[in-house]
Amino acid sequence: MKNTTKIALQVFIMIFFIGFPVTSVDAERYLPWVMEKLVGKEAPEFTVKDLSGKNVSLSSFKGKPILLNFWATWCPYCRKERPYLNSLYHEYKDRGLVIITVSTDKSAKMVRRYAKKVPMDMVVLHDTNNKAAETYNIGS
């Protein structure tokens, strides 16, 4: 594996498995070990819109290796990982890898503007109400 690939995978694992409390009322939903219940199970389904407004379901990629990445345009770590994810996608797309990036930004317009500036050849989705993020224990 190239160094870039290793770094990208480490960043993804770190971001994916760390949950952050969104509210103090139900912060227990965002504890990292809650995700341990999903290990070895089918990934929870969600449907969100892509940047053109089309609904996209996780299940539409069933049978393919998927790297699922939650991010936001305002997040400095997310901005830093974009080129690594793009590089990883180009390195493994011929082997069937699908990288699905799910933005948790409030504004789809902001995500589209960011996507024009920063190359993102992978699937880019926008989770307007953060339901997909909550399903995966992702918060900010």
Side-chain angles (χ1 to χ4, degrees):
M1 259 186 184
K2 290 182 180 177
N3 222 10
T4 335
T5 305
K6 287 181 184 178
I7 292 170
L9 286 173
Q10 289 171 345
V11 169
F12 167 75
I13 290 168
M14 182 177 64
I15 291 171
F16 184 79
F17 288 106
I18 297 175
F20 301 97
V22 171
T23 65
S24 59
V25 175
D26 63 356
E28 66 275 358
R29 290 178 48 207
Y30 296 98
L31 298 174
W33 49 86
V34 171
M35 293 307 292
E36 290 178 3
K37 296 175 185 173
L38 293 178
V39 174
K41 305 231 179 349
E42 190 168 312
E45 174 65 282
F46 64 81
T47 301
V48 296
K49 296 191 182 302
D50 65 13
L51 296 184
S52 69
K54 177 185 163 199
N55 280 333
V56 178
S57 297
L58 180 63
S59 60
S60 64
F61 301 97
K62 191 171 182 143
K64 298 179 180 182
I66 298 170
L67 188 156
L68 183 58
N69 172 260
F70 289 87
W71 66 287
T73 59
W74 51 263
C75 168
Y77 303 107
C78 302
R79 286 175 176 247
K80 192 170 185 172
E81 76 185 358
R82 287 301 105 198
Y84 297 109
L85 287 173
N86 214 38
S87 173
L88 185 68
Y89 170 73
H90 285 288
E91 188 173 340
Y92 290 98
K93 70 179 179 179
D94 293 337
R95 294 188 191 172
L97 177 66
V98 176
I99 297 181
I100 301 172
T101 65
V102 183
S103 167
T104 58
D105 285 272
K106 293 185 189 310
S107 165
K109 183 179 179 181
M110 185 176 292
V111 178
R112 281 191 293 276
R113 192 174 356 171
Y114 183 79
K116 283 182 182 176
K117 286 192 274 183
V118 179
M120 289 191 278
D121 300 325
M122 54 222 111
V123 178
V124 181
L125 305 176
H126 182 232
D127 188 13
T128 49
N129 58 12
N130 286 330
K131 290 296 180 191
E134 287 176 12
T135 300
Y136 281 84
N137 199 40
I138 304 297
S140 59

